Amino acid sequence: MPVEITWWGHATCTVEDANTRVLTDPLFARRLAHLRRRRGAVPPAEARRADLALVSHLHADHLHLPSLAGLARGTRLLVPRGAPRAVPGLRRLRHLRITEVAPGDLIRAGDLLVRVVPARHDGRRLPVGPQRSPALGYVVEGEARTYFAGDTGLFDAMAERVGPVDVALLPVGGWGPYLGDGHLDAGRAARALARLAPRAAVPVHYGTYWPIGMDAVRPHEFHAPGDEFVRLAAAAAPQVAVHRLGHGESVRLEVAR
């Protein structure tokens, strides 16, 4: 059975594998603080349907309480260890089954095994939150091994800590004209792809949100990262099939091990 990946925008994807729906970093807002959704419609109700949801870190564009509140009763939610203490609003989401996790944890969800892996990123609840929770990535193992990187920079042991994967969902941009330390841009994402050597990759975390009033400021950094990643990945990891999806588009991948 193939794995199916749908990109809803930003870091939000649905991974369908082994008859289980996994949702990554749910964000269904038209506007978030100073950010406005500039490309792609707000995802439909279908996007909110999941058996398992994964939160990579505590930043509000990844742990978005209103979007999590819209998930169905009984949905299982994995969050970084310490998240309910750092973000008290999580404790009010009593309709969800929340599990705190840290790198090295293994979680069973139906016929899937989810491996929790490290990320190189500031995991605090900004702007003033204490450093109590790690930033995470996840490897969803079923018919395929799908790596959701969350937000991360390159780190020396990335391939070793993530392990062998078949599909990589990699961030390639951001929501503003500057990407600080602990992020992947298109070039660094292509280098990560070369290290991880999956069979296929999907670029995410670009081309969705942009600060209000900055529409004319370095617009190439909003529009270009996906195409730039495709170009650079072809040189750095030519054996990897890169699928640049539009908002709401899906790809079905046959993975033979």
Side-chain angles (χ1 to χ4, degrees):
M1 179 178 177
V3 61
E4 182 168 307
I5 311 293
T6 303
W7 182 51
W8 301 111
H10 204 55
T12 306
C13 299
T14 295
V15 179
E16 296 188 65
D17 192 346
N19 296 311
T20 304
R21 286 175 62 97
V22 180
L23 183 63
T24 67
D25 283 351
L27 180 58
F28 304 126
R30 190 177 308 278
R31 178 174 173 177
L32 173 63
H34 64 298
L35 305 179
R36 182 180 63 196
R37 192 177 183 104
R38 287 197 57 221
R39 184 176 284 182
V42 173
E46 169 70 9
R48 293 161 172 75
R49 185 169 64 86
D51 302 296
L52 174 69
L54 310 176
V55 168
S56 63
H57 62 289
L58 305 193
H59 293 177
D61 58 324
H62 294 261
L63 195 167
H64 186 245
L65 290 172
S67 295
L68 295 176
L71 299 181
R73 179 173 298 277
T75 302
R76 191 170 188 188
L77 176 65
L78 304 188
V79 300
R81 185 167 296 165
R85 181 181 177 190
V87 187
L90 267 176
R91 299 198 292 267
R92 293 193 288 271
L93 302 181
R94 296 185 179 90
H95 67 297
L96 303 179
R97 297 185 294 134
I98 298 176
T99 302
E100 299 178 50
V101 294
D105 287 349
L106 300 174
I107 304 295
R108 282 282 179 189
D111 291 329
L112 298 180
L113 177 68
V114 179
R115 290 193 292 111
V116 186
V117 299
R120 183 173 174 264
H121 190 67
D122 184 343
R124 293 176 296 171
R125 185 67 163 185
L126 297 177
V128 294
Q131 185 71 57
R132 289 178 177 159
S133 295
L136 306 174
Y138 297 91
V139 179
V140 178
E141 298 190 0
E143 298 294 327
R145 296 164 296 191
T146 301
Y147 170 46
F148 170 60
D151 264 355
T152 187
L154 279 170
F155 54 98
D156 290 340
M158 176 179 273
E160 176 185 347
R161 298 298 301 274
V162 171
V165 295
D166 302 300
V167 184
L169 311 179
L170 293 180
V172 301
W175 49 253
Y178 174 72
L179 280 176
D181 189 41
H183 294 83
L184 297 179
D185 59 11
R188 292 192 290 270
R191 289 164 56 195
L193 199 65
R195 296 183 186 186
L196 296 167
R199 298 172 186 266
V202 175
V204 302
H205 204 285
Y206 77 100
T208 307
Y209 293 92
W210 203 244
I212 294 169
M214 293 187 67
D215 292 11
V217 178
R218 301 177 72 175
H220 62 284
E221 297 205 7
F222 176 79
H223 296 290
D227 289 336
E228 185 74 354
F229 174 70
V230 171
R231 182 181 69 82
L232 295 173
Q239 77 282 8
V240 180
V242 177
H243 302 271
R244 189 184 69 77
L245 302 178
H247 291 80
E249 289 187 347
S250 302
V251 61
R252 292 171 65 87
L253 302 169
E254 296 279 356
V255 178
R257 297 187 195 170

